[in-house]
Amino acid sequence: MSYYACFDIGGTAIKYGLADGRGQFLTTGEVPTEVQTKGVDQIVAKLQGVINEYRQRREVVGVAVATAGMVEPVSGTIACAGNNFPGYTGFPLGGAITQATGLACSVA
């Protein structure tokens, strides 16, 4: 069976889970976002770390991300983000995740 790493990036926490093809979550967790103190690149590093952990146990075939801000849906780039996400506007989140993991990524 194929599995999907799913993320919800909010102002204070990144919630995540591993879902099967039917949309049922096998695991869930949460880490602090820390974008104001550590920048946007560490968000990708955190997601990559979670994905790598999932890949040790399951066949992960894709990544789904819901995030704060407005997203350009085709490219997965953050079109506009609030002041509590410095450096996020214009950040190519979907592309950065795909480059870091080799997996297709959908950002909304």
Side-chain angles (χ1 to χ4, degrees):
M1 181 176 284
S2 299
Y3 297 89
Y4 302 87
C6 305
F7 298 91
D8 179 359
I9 303 171
T12 58
I14 300 171
K15 297 175 181 80
Y16 59 86
L18 182 68
D20 64 19
R22 296 168 293 168
Q24 299 296 311
F25 281 94
L26 284 70
T27 64
T28 60
E30 182 176 319
V31 294
T33 306
E34 301 178 307
V35 69
Q36 291 185 339
T37 57
K38 296 186 178 179
V40 296
D41 290 331
Q42 60 84 35
I43 290 175
V44 174
K46 286 181 180 184
L47 273 58
Q48 182 180 12
V50 170
I51 292 165
N52 288 344
E53 285 182 31
Y54 287 156
R55 284 176 141 175
Q56 291 176 11
R57 299 184 305 270
R58 307 282 184 177
E59 182 185 351
V60 179
V61 297
V63 181
V65 178
T67 186
M70 294 174 55
V71 177
E72 199 294 309
V74 174
S75 69
T77 298
I78 307 303
C80 182
N83 293 337
N84 53 337
F85 274 81
Y88 211 41
T89 298
F91 187 70
L93 183 61
I97 293 169
T98 295
Q99 183 175 7
T101 65
L103 296 171
C105 179
S106 176
V107 182

